[in-house]
Amino acid sequence: MTVVSVISGIALVVAGVLTTFRLLDGPNSLDRLVALDTLIALAMCGLAVWAAYTGDTTIVPAIVALSLVGFIGSVSVARFRVSDKS
């Protein structure tokens, strides 16, 4: 279990570094929004890996809160960026 946790952590860190590069270098605001959503998803995955490694279930509400913040942020930005015309 320790080897899987370490490999998962390394993969999440590498993905976070690549996503941070995309967040800083994105050509427009929607690319930056996708990168920010990806960082939030990576943070949730990191917390889940930590919860699985330690066996601590008190982290689960933080994962739920992060998912709600990511969803509401994405929907609010998409709501103001895209017109409602069909």
Side-chain angles (χ1 to χ4, degrees):
M1 184 68 173
T2 304
V3 174
V4 173
S5 298
V6 169
I7 292 172
S8 299
I10 291 170
L12 288 171
V13 167
V14 169
V17 168
L18 294 173
T19 304
T20 302
F21 175 73
R22 183 45 135 183
L23 180 68
L24 297 174
D25 196 37
N28 57 23
S29 62
L30 289 179
D31 287 337
R32 289 185 175 98
L33 175 68
V34 170
L36 189 61
D37 285 339
T38 305
L39 279 177
I40 291 173
L42 288 172
M44 292 183 335
C45 291
L47 285 174
V49 167
W50 180 256
Y53 178 71
T54 60
D56 186 16
T57 60
T58 58
I59 300 174
V60 174
I63 297 171
V64 172
L66 272 175
S67 67
L68 288 174
V69 166
F71 174 74
I72 291 173
S74 298
V75 168
S76 63
V77 169
R79 172 78 173 125
F80 291 114
R81 281 286 294 203
V82 178
S83 64
D84 287 333
K85 296 178 182 177
S86 299

